[in-house]
Amino acid sequence: MSKENEKIIINCVKKIAKQNHFKTISNCIYKTDGNLLIYAVVWATDNHTIVFRWCIKTIELDDIFWDIFDMSDNKNERFSLRIEGAFCCPSYIFDEKVCEVENMELLEEIVDSFFLSEMKKVEEYTNNIKAEYGDFLSYIIKREDAYDLTKLLAHILLGEYEYVYKIVKSELKRGEDGGFGNKGKNIYQYMEEYCRRKIRNKKIGFRSKIKNLKK
């Protein structure tokens, strides 16, 4: 495929996406649904097909990642960091679909039809999460194919500090680092420290409550 045709195809996808209330960043299309961030990485192949790799996570997963990782300022930076930034919570890839473009003259019609079909499937997917699990965090920790780091961050958001503390301590002993480093420490080291503080504060709060009850 020529560079020109590739550009035409991607621009067409972006146009159709915008008409359906999506926003665009480089070769990604995205939208938010409450706290959910849903996006697709899009590219065209040599045989005139368009690949949509659909991803999902919650905005709070990025926020807690940055809080733990000493990068809280990123929460106020451009939104694209959540999608294509080098330091953000890994998203969950929930689908990958291919759109066949057999006739470039019918490109817009083909993409429009395909995109509307995809939107229905994405809506069904998110509705099923809410119906079966109640929220995305409870869903993602059950997914065997999700990134371990994403699941650990979800456990932290659910207040399960003791569980995460034990896991990351074990991972560190095995020489694992979680795949991210900042200021001389890896993400698992940051998570261990964060959970230790939360556990300590929890104990202090409990003791304080007991003392108040005895008064």
Side-chain angles (χ1 to χ4, degrees), residues 61-79:
L61 281 166
D62 282 328
D63 289 348
I64 192 66
F65 176 92
W66 288 327
D67 283 342
I68 292 170
F69 210 34
D70 196 18
M71 288 183 164
S72 294
D73 289 347
N74 280 3
K75 291 188 285 186
N76 302 316
E77 295 295 331
R78 65 187 190 281
F79 196 84

Side-chain angles (χ1 to χ4, degrees), residues 30-153:
Y30 75 94
K31 73 170 185 175
T32 56
D33 178 6
N35 195 36
L36 285 175
L37 168 59
I38 303 159
Y39 67 95
V41 183
V42 184
W43 69 92
T45 68
D46 288 338
N47 56 346
H48 286 81
T49 60
I50 313 169
V51 182
F52 290 76
R53 178 173 290 166
W54 289 102
C55 307
I56 190 171
K57 62 180 169 180
T58 63
I59 291 171
E60 62 185 343
L61 281 166
D62 282 328
D63 289 348
I64 192 66
F65 176 92
W66 288 327
D67 283 342
I68 292 170
F69 210 34
D70 196 18
M71 288 183 164
S72 294
D73 289 347
N74 280 3
K75 291 188 285 186
N76 302 316
E77 295 295 331
R78 65 187 190 281
F79 196 84
S80 62
L81 287 179
R82 300 179 184 273
I83 296 171
E84 58 181 6
F87 294 94
C88 63
C89 173
S91 301
Y92 178 63
I93 300 171
F94 67 89
D95 203 1
E96 186 168 302
K97 289 291 174 61
V98 172
C99 174
E100 303 284 348
V101 182
E102 296 177 354
N103 186 341
M104 284 295 289
E105 292 181 4
L106 299 175
L107 174 64
E108 192 163 328
E109 183 181 331
I110 292 169
V111 172
D112 185 54
S113 175
F114 179 84
F115 197 80
L116 289 175
S117 174
E118 285 297 282
M119 287 305 86
K120 289 179 183 177
K121 292 172 186 174
V122 169
E123 186 176 359
E124 287 175 6
Y125 171 75
T126 55
N127 286 341
N128 285 340
I129 289 175
K130 293 169 187 174
E132 276 192 61
Y133 298 89
D135 59 74
F136 181 77
L137 299 179
S138 300
Y139 166 77
I140 200 64
I141 61 178
K142 295 282 189 355
R143 305 303 300 175
E144 291 184 4
D145 54 344
Y147 285 99
D148 289 339
L149 178 58
T150 305
K151 291 193 280 189
L152 288 172
L153 290 169

